[in-house]
Amino acid sequence: MYVATKGGEQAIGAAHAWLAEERRGDPALPELEAAQIAEQLGLAVDRVMGEGSCHDRGLAALAVKQARGDLIEAAFLLRAYRTTLPRFGASAPIDTGAMAIRRRISATYKDLPGGQVLGPTFDYTHRLLDFRLAAAGEPPEPAPEAEPDGASAPRVTELLAREGLMQRETPSDAEPGDLTREPLAFPADRPVRLQALARGDEGFLLGLGYSTQRGYGNNHPFVGEIRVGDVAVEFTPPELGFAIELGDIGVTECQMVNQFKGSRSEKPQFTRGYGLVFGHAERKAMSMALVDRALRADELGEEAVAPAQQPEFVLYHCDNVEATGFVEHLKLPHYVDFQSELENVRAMREAAE
């Protein structure tokens, strides 16, 4: 037994050494630095921050490097590190209405106060490989800049709410649950659901969001508004008694607008699905908003028949760290279990013959 254990330790050590060698790649080429990843693979870093539940670009970039570009593994690394950090309090709710906007679009109004701000986006690019990027050339021409006009950018949903056409959601002073400290339990209220979705796997949520548009979730959405930019984070130290600004974080916010036919207690109006994630992650925020709206079926008196409308199905399976652990544990030794299954199948075959 000692020999088997010793041999296993040696094999694992060799596997780790080989992994480090593979991660480095050809030593004749310059090593990729975490700062380069943070600056030039920003969308990958943003995804890792969101699914890792930790807003730190440097740590997320380091995790991407260590994971060899496997973003799920990188999110796992970042979340594991996050659990070692002390918590000294909770910040005030961020005000996305006061966001320093880098991108702001609406698919519901062409002309709206504050205007459409296209910002940095792939939406209007040709999906053609740019072979100029394969050569180390000059940096691109700087984008044109304009002086800010100071115009306010009210929320599109607020414009609808003023007409009485959008369901108002009243703020609550109740302390929300905290998935990082308490395990998921049902029934799960909306704050807990949004927490789970915010750090859920982008691909899983994208598939679920797509399903709601194809008839499996009663979703007929419009993008009311997407905002990408920086918001201030404030914290009130107990010894001071007033809020101080800790810094800014980048976020993406999406509000989906959905038609609602009404119920016994509610008039026909629009309802919303909501998504808010770290960094520039429009696909994730949109998917989150679609699934959030689908999960409100019971609250709005709608029949919940599709997978995206089932809280237990969605929330138990959207976390890629948990899903990865459960799927990849199948690679670990299951010798005893399989031998038991093998003997069982042999016995059944003998009985059948």
Side-chain angles (χ1 to χ4, degrees):
M1 195 67 184
Y2 170 79
V3 174
T5 303
K6 187 69 174 179
E9 288 179 349
Q10 291 175 345
I12 290 172
H16 287 170
W18 198 350
L19 175 62
E21 186 178 308
E22 289 288 303
R23 180 190 304 117
R24 177 58 181 87
D26 187 349
L29 297 175
E31 183 172 1
L32 189 62
E33 298 179 0
Q36 292 174 295
I37 296 173
E39 290 297 321
Q40 299 178 47
L41 298 180
L43 297 183
V45 169
D46 288 347
R47 176 173 177 178
V48 170
M49 287 196 305
E51 296 176 10
S53 299
C54 182
H55 192 288
D56 189 305
R57 300 193 63 79
L59 290 177
L62 177 61
V64 172
K65 178 179 179 177
Q66 182 176 337
R68 302 175 61 200
D70 184 334
L71 301 189
I72 293 179
E73 176 69 16
F76 199 159
L77 290 170
L78 187 59
R79 200 182 294 185
Y81 177 76
R82 178 189 185 279
T83 63
T84 69
L85 302 176
R87 180 178 300 192
F88 55 83
S91 65
I94 60 174
D95 181 8
T96 55
M99 179 186 295
I101 293 174
R102 300 177 64 233
R103 173 165 160 79
R104 182 228 190 182
I105 60 168
S106 171
T108 52
Y109 289 99
K110 178 177 179 292
D111 299 309
L112 69 164
Q116 306 266 7
V117 182
L118 299 187
T121 177
F122 292 114
D123 289 351
Y124 314 106
T125 60
H126 301 293
R127 264 59 178 200
L128 300 173
L129 282 174
D130 186 352
F131 289 98
R132 293 173 299 178
L133 299 178
E138 295 296 322
E141 291 290 331
E145 296 184 9
E147 291 295 327
D149 57 12
S152 63
R155 300 179 186 280
V156 169
T157 50
E158 180 59 26
L159 300 177
L160 292 169
R162 291 172 188 172
E163 295 185 54
L165 300 177
M166 169 62 70
Q167 182 191 47
R168 286 199 176 274
E169 299 178 358
T170 56
S172 173
D173 293 329
E175 186 74 19
D178 186 348
L179 274 183
T180 66
R181 293 185 165 189
E182 299 292 336
L184 179 64
F186 293 94
D189 57 15
R190 196 177 180 199
V192 170
R193 298 199 305 261
L194 289 172
Q195 287 179 54
L197 297 179
R199 64 188 211 157
D201 181 71
E202 180 178 312
F204 181 79
L205 295 181
L206 177 63
L208 283 178
Y210 180 43
S211 75
T212 68
Q213 297 176 266
R214 299 190 67 252
Y216 298 90
N218 194 32
N219 250 357
H220 304 282
F222 297 89
V223 173
E225 189 174 6
I226 291 176
R227 294 182 178 218
V228 181
D230 298 322
V231 293
V233 177
E234 295 185 340
F235 175 70
T236 303
E239 60 272 21
L240 295 182
F242 57 86
I244 59 173
E245 187 173 311
L246 300 180
D248 296 332
I249 61 172
V251 296
T252 300
E253 180 184 56
C254 175
Q255 297 207 47
M256 286 285 182
V257 176
N258 296 70
Q259 188 182 131
F260 176 56
K261 296 179 180 179
S263 64
R264 293 181 180 179
S265 59
E266 298 279 356
K267 297 179 180 179
Q269 59 189 320
F270 292 107
T271 56
R272 79 190 80 198
Y274 188 74
L276 179 72
V277 293
F278 286 149
H280 191 161
E282 295 173 40
R283 187 189 304 120
K284 170 69 175 291
M286 293 174 69
S287 302
M288 179 180 171
L290 288 169
V291 177
D292 170 54
R293 176 58 181 81
L295 291 175
R296 298 182 65 196
D298 186 60
E299 166 197 340
L300 297 171
E302 299 170 340
E303 187 178 7
V305 295
Q309 296 173 301
Q310 308 294 330
E312 291 88 348
F313 175 79
V314 174
L315 302 184
Y316 271 139
H317 300 104
C318 71
D319 191 295
N320 58 26
V321 171
E322 185 170 344
T324 295
F326 205 84
V327 170
E328 295 202 4
H329 97 282
L330 297 174
K331 296 184 291 186
L332 299 177
H334 287 74
Y335 310 135
V336 174
D337 292 340
F338 181 72
Q339 290 302 316
S340 175
E341 293 272 344
L342 189 61
E343 292 301 321
N344 192 29
V345 171
R346 284 172 175 164
M348 288 190 294
R349 285 175 60 91
E350 289 177 3
E353 292 171 357

